[in-house]
Amino acid sequence: MTAKVERAEILDFLTYADRRDAIRASAMAAKDLRRVHLGEHLTLLFENRETIRYQIQEMVRAEQMVRESDIRHELDTYNAVLGGEGELGCTLLIEIPDAALRPVLLRRWRGLPGHLHLTFTDGSRESARFDAAQMDEARLSSVQFLLFPVGDRIPAGLVVDLPELAVGTSLSPATQRALLEDLGRPPAEA
């Protein structure tokens, strides 16, 4: 399991500003290993402690947060994306460049929950658990936070079986190793 980001790891926004370039470079490298493009419109970014810590720091910086309650709220919100023992959390970006077409497709693709799956080397698959707060009866939000139950299996790929978006992709060996590391497992398993 990926350990949660602790309050002691979050710098005040002025100290963070001094160290931001190095922290950002490291976080972007971590994101690159965990980013998976799935067809034309879907990008999944599997999150880990480093990517989540970076997001929290960016929020603290952008909002110039000093109130402990505000910082703790960000910690609680972003740590929830990491999931629990044996789970992988990720951010799903539904990318529709055409602003006029975006609301139409987000309504049409409202059925995506239940049709996005993580596949495993043993041939099994698990559906993503979507956050119900990021959708309503009519449409999806273009940013979704997902959790995938993994257990002791080895992630192999991603599949969407919603007819209009049907696509699949294999995880690169580097991504597979990064996800196993996030699960606290030896990368040699991949």
PDB file of all heavy atoms in Angstrom, residues 39-61:
ATOM      1  N   GLY A  39      -6.536   5.381 -25.951  1.00  0.00           N
ATOM      2  CA  GLY A  39      -7.295   5.916 -27.071  1.00  0.00           C
ATOM      3  C   GLY A  39      -7.091   7.417 -27.209  1.00  0.00           C
ATOM      4  O   GLY A  39      -6.164   8.002 -26.642  1.00  0.00           O
ATOM      5  N   GLU A  40      -7.972   8.030 -27.953  1.00  0.00           N
ATOM      6  CA  GLU A  40      -7.863   9.445 -28.299  1.00  0.00           C
ATOM      7  C   GLU A  40      -8.247  10.391 -27.161  1.00  0.00           C
ATOM      8  O   GLU A  40      -7.733  11.499 -27.072  1.00  0.00           O
ATOM      9  CB  GLU A  40      -8.760   9.722 -29.512  1.00  0.00           C
ATOM     10  CG  GLU A  40      -8.750  11.133 -29.995  1.00  0.00           C
ATOM     11  CD  GLU A  40      -9.697  11.370 -31.168  1.00  0.00           C
ATOM     12  OE1 GLU A  40     -10.308  10.401 -31.668  1.00  0.00           O
ATOM     13  OE2 GLU A  40      -9.832  12.544 -31.558  1.00  0.00           O
ATOM     14  N   HIS A  41      -9.149   9.945 -26.273  1.00  0.00           N
ATOM     15  CA  HIS A  41      -9.741  10.877 -25.304  1.00  0.00           C
ATOM     16  C   HIS A  41      -9.438  10.603 -23.830  1.00  0.00           C
ATOM     17  O   HIS A  41      -9.806  11.416 -22.984  1.00  0.00           O
ATOM     18  CB  HIS A  41     -11.265  10.894 -25.469  1.00  0.00           C
ATOM     19  CG  HIS A  41     -11.708  11.371 -26.806  1.00  0.00           C
ATOM     20  ND1 HIS A  41     -11.622  12.687 -27.195  1.00  0.00           N
ATOM     21  CD2 HIS A  41     -12.224  10.697 -27.863  1.00  0.00           C
ATOM     22  CE1 HIS A  41     -12.078  12.806 -28.431  1.00  0.00           C
ATOM     23  NE2 HIS A  41     -12.449  11.613 -28.852  1.00  0.00           N
ATOM     24  N   LEU A  42      -8.811   9.485 -23.518  1.00  0.00           N
ATOM     25  CA  LEU A  42      -8.636   9.128 -22.109  1.00  0.00           C
ATOM     26  C   LEU A  42      -7.156   9.049 -21.753  1.00  0.00           C
ATOM     27  O   LEU A  42      -6.379   8.372 -22.426  1.00  0.00           O
ATOM     28  CB  LEU A  42      -9.290   7.770 -21.817  1.00  0.00           C
ATOM     29  CG  LEU A  42     -10.764   7.629 -22.191  1.00  0.00           C
ATOM     30  CD1 LEU A  42     -11.250   6.217 -21.896  1.00  0.00           C
ATOM     31  CD2 LEU A  42     -11.615   8.660 -21.472  1.00  0.00           C
ATOM     32  N   THR A  43      -6.788   9.736 -20.680  1.00  0.00           N
ATOM     33  CA  THR A  43      -5.447   9.635 -20.114  1.00  0.00           C
ATOM     34  C   THR A  43      -5.596   9.325 -18.637  1.00  0.00           C
ATOM     35  O   THR A  43      -6.326  10.017 -17.919  1.00  0.00           O
ATOM     36  CB  THR A  43      -4.653  10.946 -20.308  1.00  0.00           C
ATOM     37  OG1 THR A  43      -4.503  11.196 -21.706  1.00  0.00           O
ATOM     38  CG2 THR A  43      -3.276  10.846 -19.671  1.00  0.00           C
ATOM     39  N   LEU A  44      -4.913   8.281 -18.193  1.00  0.00           N
ATOM     40  CA  LEU A  44      -4.930   7.900 -16.790  1.00  0.00           C
ATOM     41  C   LEU A  44      -3.565   8.193 -16.199  1.00  0.00           C
ATOM     42  O   LEU A  44      -2.543   7.873 -16.804  1.00  0.00           O
ATOM     43  CB  LEU A  44      -5.241   6.412 -16.630  1.00  0.00           C
ATOM     44  CG  LEU A  44      -6.679   6.026 -16.977  1.00  0.00           C
ATOM     45  CD1 LEU A  44      -6.781   5.652 -18.442  1.00  0.00           C
ATOM     46  CD2 LEU A  44      -7.153   4.912 -16.100  1.00  0.00           C
ATOM     47  N   LEU A  45      -3.575   8.814 -15.042  1.00  0.00           N
ATOM     48  CA  LEU A  45      -2.345   9.084 -14.309  1.00  0.00           C
ATOM     49  C   LEU A  45      -2.453   8.355 -12.974  1.00  0.00           C
ATOM     50  O   LEU A  45      -3.224   8.753 -12.098  1.00  0.00           O
ATOM     51  CB  LEU A  45      -2.145  10.578 -14.070  1.00  0.00           C
ATOM     52  CG  LEU A  45      -0.952  10.933 -13.193  1.00  0.00           C
ATOM     53  CD1 LEU A  45       0.353  10.465 -13.816  1.00  0.00           C
ATOM     54  CD2 LEU A  45      -0.918  12.419 -12.927  1.00  0.00           C
ATOM     55  N   PHE A  46      -1.711   7.251 -12.866  1.00  0.00           N
ATOM     56  CA  PHE A  46      -1.679   6.529 -11.607  1.00  0.00           C
ATOM     57  C   PHE A  46      -0.899   7.367 -10.609  1.00  0.00           C
ATOM     58  O   PHE A  46       0.198   7.833 -10.900  1.00  0.00           O
ATOM     59  CB  PHE A  46      -1.058   5.143 -11.799  1.00  0.00           C
ATOM     60  CG  PHE A  46      -1.969   4.200 -12.519  1.00  0.00           C
ATOM     61  CD1 PHE A  46      -1.923   4.083 -13.893  1.00  0.00           C
ATOM     62  CD2 PHE A  46      -2.905   3.454 -11.827  1.00  0.00           C
ATOM     63  CE1 PHE A  46      -2.776   3.240 -14.579  1.00  0.00           C
ATOM     64  CE2 PHE A  46      -3.770   2.602 -12.496  1.00  0.00           C
ATOM     65  CZ  PHE A  46      -3.707   2.484 -13.867  1.00  0.00           C
ATOM     66  N   GLU A  47      -1.482   7.568  -9.444  1.00  0.00           N
ATOM     67  CA  GLU A  47      -0.906   8.460  -8.442  1.00  0.00           C
ATOM     68  C   GLU A  47      -0.078   7.673  -7.434  1.00  0.00           C
ATOM     69  O   GLU A  47      -0.335   6.492  -7.185  1.00  0.00           O
ATOM     70  CB  GLU A  47      -2.007   9.222  -7.709  1.00  0.00           C
ATOM     71  CG  GLU A  47      -2.944   9.998  -8.611  1.00  0.00           C
ATOM     72  CD  GLU A  47      -2.367  11.279  -9.204  1.00  0.00           C
ATOM     73  OE1 GLU A  47      -1.183  11.596  -8.970  1.00  0.00           O
ATOM     74  OE2 GLU A  47      -3.122  11.976  -9.905  1.00  0.00           O
ATOM     75  N   ASN A  48       0.907   8.328  -6.862  1.00  0.00           N
ATOM     76  CA  ASN A  48       1.661   7.768  -5.746  1.00  0.00           C
ATOM     77  C   ASN A  48       1.943   8.893  -4.757  1.00  0.00           C
ATOM     78  O   ASN A  48       1.510  10.028  -4.955  1.00  0.00           O
ATOM     79  CB  ASN A  48       2.922   7.043  -6.224  1.00  0.00           C
ATOM     80  CG  ASN A  48       4.020   7.972  -6.697  1.00  0.00           C
ATOM     81  OD1 ASN A  48       3.857   9.182  -6.792  1.00  0.00           O
ATOM     82  ND2 ASN A  48       5.165   7.396  -7.011  1.00  0.00           N
ATOM     83  N   ARG A  49       2.682   8.582  -3.698  1.00  0.00           N
ATOM     84  CA  ARG A  49       2.940   9.596  -2.662  1.00  0.00           C
ATOM     85  C   ARG A  49       3.580  10.843  -3.247  1.00  0.00           C
ATOM     86  O   ARG A  49       3.246  11.959  -2.867  1.00  0.00           O
ATOM     87  CB  ARG A  49       3.846   9.033  -1.573  1.00  0.00           C
ATOM     88  CG  ARG A  49       3.186   8.032  -0.690  1.00  0.00           C
ATOM     89  CD  ARG A  49       4.092   7.544   0.437  1.00  0.00           C
ATOM     90  NE  ARG A  49       4.022   8.484   1.538  1.00  0.00           N
ATOM     91  CZ  ARG A  49       4.995   9.326   1.872  1.00  0.00           C
ATOM     92  NH1 ARG A  49       6.130   9.355   1.230  1.00  0.00           N
ATOM     93  NH2 ARG A  49       4.839  10.142   2.888  1.00  0.00           N
ATOM     94  N   GLU A  50       4.529  10.661  -4.156  1.00  0.00           N
ATOM     95  CA  GLU A  50       5.235  11.821  -4.694  1.00  0.00           C
ATOM     96  C   GLU A  50       4.314  12.705  -5.530  1.00  0.00           C
ATOM     97  O   GLU A  50       4.339  13.933  -5.402  1.00  0.00           O
ATOM     98  CB  GLU A  50       6.443  11.384  -5.525  1.00  0.00           C
ATOM     99  CG  GLU A  50       7.251  12.567  -6.008  1.00  0.00           C
ATOM    100  CD  GLU A  50       8.570  12.178  -6.629  1.00  0.00           C
ATOM    101  OE1 GLU A  50       8.816  10.989  -6.868  1.00  0.00           O
ATOM    102  OE2 GLU A  50       9.370  13.099  -6.881  1.00  0.00           O
ATOM    103  N   THR A  51       3.497  12.110  -6.383  1.00  0.00           N
ATOM    104  CA  THR A  51       2.608  12.919  -7.225  1.00  0.00           C
ATOM    105  C   THR A  51       1.540  13.611  -6.380  1.00  0.00           C
ATOM    106  O   THR A  51       1.186  14.755  -6.644  1.00  0.00           O
ATOM    107  CB  THR A  51       1.957  12.078  -8.339  1.00  0.00           C
ATOM    108  OG1 THR A  51       1.094  11.081  -7.773  1.00  0.00           O
ATOM    109  CG2 THR A  51       3.003  11.416  -9.234  1.00  0.00           C
ATOM    110  N   ILE A  52       1.051  12.917  -5.353  1.00  0.00           N
ATOM    111  CA  ILE A  52       0.031  13.509  -4.478  1.00  0.00           C
ATOM    112  C   ILE A  52       0.639  14.616  -3.616  1.00  0.00           C
ATOM    113  O   ILE A  52       0.048  15.687  -3.451  1.00  0.00           O
ATOM    114  CB  ILE A  52      -0.647  12.419  -3.615  1.00  0.00           C
ATOM    115  CG1 ILE A  52      -1.515  11.515  -4.497  1.00  0.00           C
ATOM    116  CG2 ILE A  52      -1.458  13.033  -2.476  1.00  0.00           C
ATOM    117  CD1 ILE A  52      -2.679  12.204  -5.197  1.00  0.00           C
ATOM    118  N   ARG A  53       1.836  14.381  -3.072  1.00  0.00           N
ATOM    119  CA  ARG A  53       2.502  15.415  -2.275  1.00  0.00           C
ATOM    120  C   ARG A  53       2.710  16.672  -3.123  1.00  0.00           C
ATOM    121  O   ARG A  53       2.478  17.794  -2.670  1.00  0.00           O
ATOM    122  CB  ARG A  53       3.833  14.899  -1.722  1.00  0.00           C
ATOM    123  CG  ARG A  53       4.509  15.886  -0.787  1.00  0.00           C
ATOM    124  CD  ARG A  53       5.748  15.308  -0.114  1.00  0.00           C
ATOM    125  NE  ARG A  53       6.679  14.726  -1.047  1.00  0.00           N
ATOM    126  CZ  ARG A  53       7.033  13.433  -1.084  1.00  0.00           C
ATOM    127  NH1 ARG A  53       6.528  12.589  -0.214  1.00  0.00           N
ATOM    128  NH2 ARG A  53       7.888  13.000  -1.973  1.00  0.00           N
ATOM    129  N   TYR A  54       3.105  16.479  -4.379  1.00  0.00           N
ATOM    130  CA  TYR A  54       3.296  17.614  -5.284  1.00  0.00           C
ATOM    131  C   TYR A  54       1.975  18.374  -5.485  1.00  0.00           C
ATOM    132  O   TYR A  54       1.944  19.606  -5.428  1.00  0.00           O
ATOM    133  CB  TYR A  54       3.854  17.118  -6.629  1.00  0.00           C
ATOM    134  CG  TYR A  54       3.863  18.167  -7.693  1.00  0.00           C
ATOM    135  CD1 TYR A  54       4.774  19.218  -7.649  1.00  0.00           C
ATOM    136  CD2 TYR A  54       2.958  18.124  -8.746  1.00  0.00           C
ATOM    137  CE1 TYR A  54       4.778  20.202  -8.631  1.00  0.00           C
ATOM    138  CE2 TYR A  54       2.964  19.090  -9.724  1.00  0.00           C
ATOM    139  CZ  TYR A  54       3.867  20.126  -9.663  1.00  0.00           C
ATOM    140  OH  TYR A  54       3.861  21.098 -10.631  1.00  0.00           O
ATOM    141  N   GLN A  55       0.879  17.650  -5.709  1.00  0.00           N
ATOM    142  CA  GLN A  55      -0.416  18.306  -5.902  1.00  0.00           C
ATOM    143  C   GLN A  55      -0.814  19.112  -4.669  1.00  0.00           C
ATOM    144  O   GLN A  55      -1.325  20.228  -4.783  1.00  0.00           O
ATOM    145  CB  GLN A  55      -1.499  17.272  -6.231  1.00  0.00           C
ATOM    146  CG  GLN A  55      -1.375  16.653  -7.602  1.00  0.00           C
ATOM    147  CD  GLN A  55      -1.357  17.663  -8.720  1.00  0.00           C
ATOM    148  OE1 GLN A  55      -0.437  17.674  -9.532  1.00  0.00           O
ATOM    149  NE2 GLN A  55      -2.337  18.528  -8.789  1.00  0.00           N
ATOM    150  N   ILE A  56      -0.593  18.545  -3.490  1.00  0.00           N
ATOM    151  CA  ILE A  56      -0.922  19.260  -2.253  1.00  0.00           C
ATOM    152  C   ILE A  56      -0.069  20.516  -2.141  1.00  0.00           C
ATOM    153  O   ILE A  56      -0.566  21.603  -1.839  1.00  0.00           O
ATOM    154  CB  ILE A  56      -0.749  18.346  -1.022  1.00  0.00           C
ATOM    155  CG1 ILE A  56      -1.756  17.196  -1.073  1.00  0.00           C
ATOM    156  CG2 ILE A  56      -0.900  19.152   0.272  1.00  0.00           C
ATOM    157  CD1 ILE A  56      -1.471  16.073  -0.087  1.00  0.00           C
ATOM    158  N   GLN A  57       1.238  20.379  -2.386  1.00  0.00           N
ATOM    159  CA  GLN A  57       2.131  21.547  -2.319  1.00  0.00           C
ATOM    160  C   GLN A  57       1.705  22.636  -3.292  1.00  0.00           C
ATOM    161  O   GLN A  57       1.745  23.823  -2.959  1.00  0.00           O
ATOM    162  CB  GLN A  57       3.579  21.134  -2.613  1.00  0.00           C
ATOM    163  CG  GLN A  57       4.270  20.443  -1.498  1.00  0.00           C
ATOM    164  CD  GLN A  57       4.570  21.301  -0.287  1.00  0.00           C
ATOM    165  OE1 GLN A  57       5.082  20.773   0.682  1.00  0.00           O
ATOM    166  NE2 GLN A  57       4.271  22.578  -0.282  1.00  0.00           N
ATOM    167  N   GLU A  58       1.288  22.228  -4.484  1.00  0.00           N
ATOM    168  CA  GLU A  58       0.840  23.204  -5.473  1.00  0.00           C
ATOM    169  C   GLU A  58      -0.418  23.936  -5.003  1.00  0.00           C
ATOM    170  O   GLU A  58      -0.552  25.142  -5.211  1.00  0.00           O
ATOM    171  CB  GLU A  58       0.607  22.535  -6.829  1.00  0.00           C
ATOM    172  CG  GLU A  58       1.886  22.212  -7.567  1.00  0.00           C
ATOM    173  CD  GLU A  58       2.648  23.454  -7.996  1.00  0.00           C
ATOM    174  OE1 GLU A  58       2.092  24.290  -8.747  1.00  0.00           O
ATOM    175  OE2 GLU A  58       3.821  23.602  -7.583  1.00  0.00           O
ATOM    176  N   MET A  59      -1.327  23.219  -4.359  1.00  0.00           N
ATOM    177  CA  MET A  59      -2.538  23.862  -3.832  1.00  0.00           C
ATOM    178  C   MET A  59      -2.181  24.825  -2.702  1.00  0.00           C
ATOM    179  O   MET A  59      -2.700  25.948  -2.650  1.00  0.00           O
ATOM    180  CB  MET A  59      -3.531  22.806  -3.339  1.00  0.00           C
ATOM    181  CG  MET A  59      -4.175  22.006  -4.440  1.00  0.00           C
ATOM    182  SD  MET A  59      -5.095  23.016  -5.622  1.00  0.00           S
ATOM    183  CE  MET A  59      -6.356  23.710  -4.577  1.00  0.00           C
ATOM    184  N   VAL A  60      -1.294  24.405  -1.807  1.00  0.00           N
ATOM    185  CA  VAL A  60      -0.867  25.273  -0.702  1.00  0.00           C
ATOM    186  C   VAL A  60      -0.214  26.533  -1.264  1.00  0.00           C
ATOM    187  O   VAL A  60      -0.461  27.646  -0.794  1.00  0.00           O
ATOM    188  CB  VAL A  60       0.077  24.512   0.256  1.00  0.00           C
ATOM    189  CG1 VAL A  60       0.757  25.455   1.245  1.00  0.00           C
ATOM    190  CG2 VAL A  60      -0.689  23.417   1.002  1.00  0.00           C
ATOM    191  N   ARG A  61       0.611  26.364  -2.298  1.00  0.00           N
ATOM    192  CA  ARG A  61       1.282  27.512  -2.919  1.00  0.00           C
ATOM    193  C   ARG A  61       0.289  28.429  -3.617  1.00  0.00           C
ATOM    194  O   ARG A  61       0.291  29.645  -3.415  1.00  0.00           O
ATOM    195  CB  ARG A  61       2.336  27.034  -3.926  1.00  0.00           C
ATOM    196  CG  ARG A  61       3.103  28.178  -4.584  1.00  0.00           C
ATOM    197  CD  ARG A  61       4.027  27.666  -5.684  1.00  0.00           C
ATOM    198  NE  ARG A  61       3.318  27.299  -6.879  1.00  0.00           N
ATOM    199  CZ  ARG A  61       2.936  28.154  -7.830  1.00  0.00           C
ATOM    200  NH1 ARG A  61       3.188  29.437  -7.717  1.00  0.00           N
ATOM    201  NH2 ARG A  61       2.310  27.730  -8.895  1.00  0.00           N
TER     202      ARG A  61
END
